[in-house]
Amino acid sequence: MIRAVLERFQLIVSEAILAEIGRVLRYPKIIRRHRWSDQRVKLFLEDLAHIATLTPGELKLRVIKEDPSDNRYLECAIEWEAEPQREPRNPELGSRAISRWRSNMDSR
């Protein structure tokens, strides 16, 4: 199943996202669900990094104020779209995404 997903989709992450996933997987409440050892969590993160495309992680945004760590996902998406080695699917995605987030946050 994972192979089918990877053939159809491209996983994009940054080091900051991998760190957050690792942090969340180590929450006591989450550990009770997955029952993984710390070593298994590390292996999972290594596997994830191996199959994913890593973005540089250089962009730093402060758009999402309620949960600032969510900015890492927006940063990753924008960096991936701006990567010069490939043809962007939609060059305006980054600016539109930021505008949409700002308007959503302002309306709360």
Side-chain angles (χ1 to χ4, degrees):
M1 182 170 125
I2 290 176
R3 185 178 307 271
V5 169
L6 291 175
E7 287 174 1
R8 199 154 172 222
F9 299 98
Q10 185 174 4
L11 178 62
I12 311 297
V13 297
S14 65
E15 289 292 338
I17 290 172
L18 290 172
E20 181 173 4
I21 292 169
R23 183 177 52 83
V24 170
L25 288 173
R26 289 178 177 96
Y27 287 166
K29 147 172 110 170
I30 303 298
I31 290 172
R32 284 193 295 275
R33 299 282 244 162
H34 64 60
R35 300 183 187 276
W36 289 356
S37 67
D38 193 56
Q39 182 62 27
R40 178 63 187 108
V41 170
K42 287 179 188 175
L43 290 172
F44 173 77
L45 293 171
E46 288 173 10
D47 289 346
L48 204 55
H50 180 71
I51 64 171
T53 298
L54 287 173
T55 60
E58 297 167 356
L59 180 64
K60 301 296 177 210
L61 299 174
R62 291 187 180 99
V63 178
I64 306 168
K65 293 174 179 50
E66 289 80 12
D67 189 353
S69 65
D70 285 350
N71 285 302
R72 305 306 75 87
Y73 299 93
L74 187 56
E75 294 162 356
C76 183
I78 292 169
E79 282 187 329
W80 183 71
E81 284 291 333
E83 191 174 311
Q85 293 86 2
R86 62 176 203 75
E87 186 73 22
R89 290 179 300 166
N90 183 345
E92 295 180 14
L93 174 69
S95 59
R96 280 200 322 243
I98 289 175
S99 296
R100 191 169 38 249
W101 273 105
R102 282 191 178 136
S103 67
N104 287 339
M105 293 303 123
D106 290 343
S107 66
R108 289 183 177 193

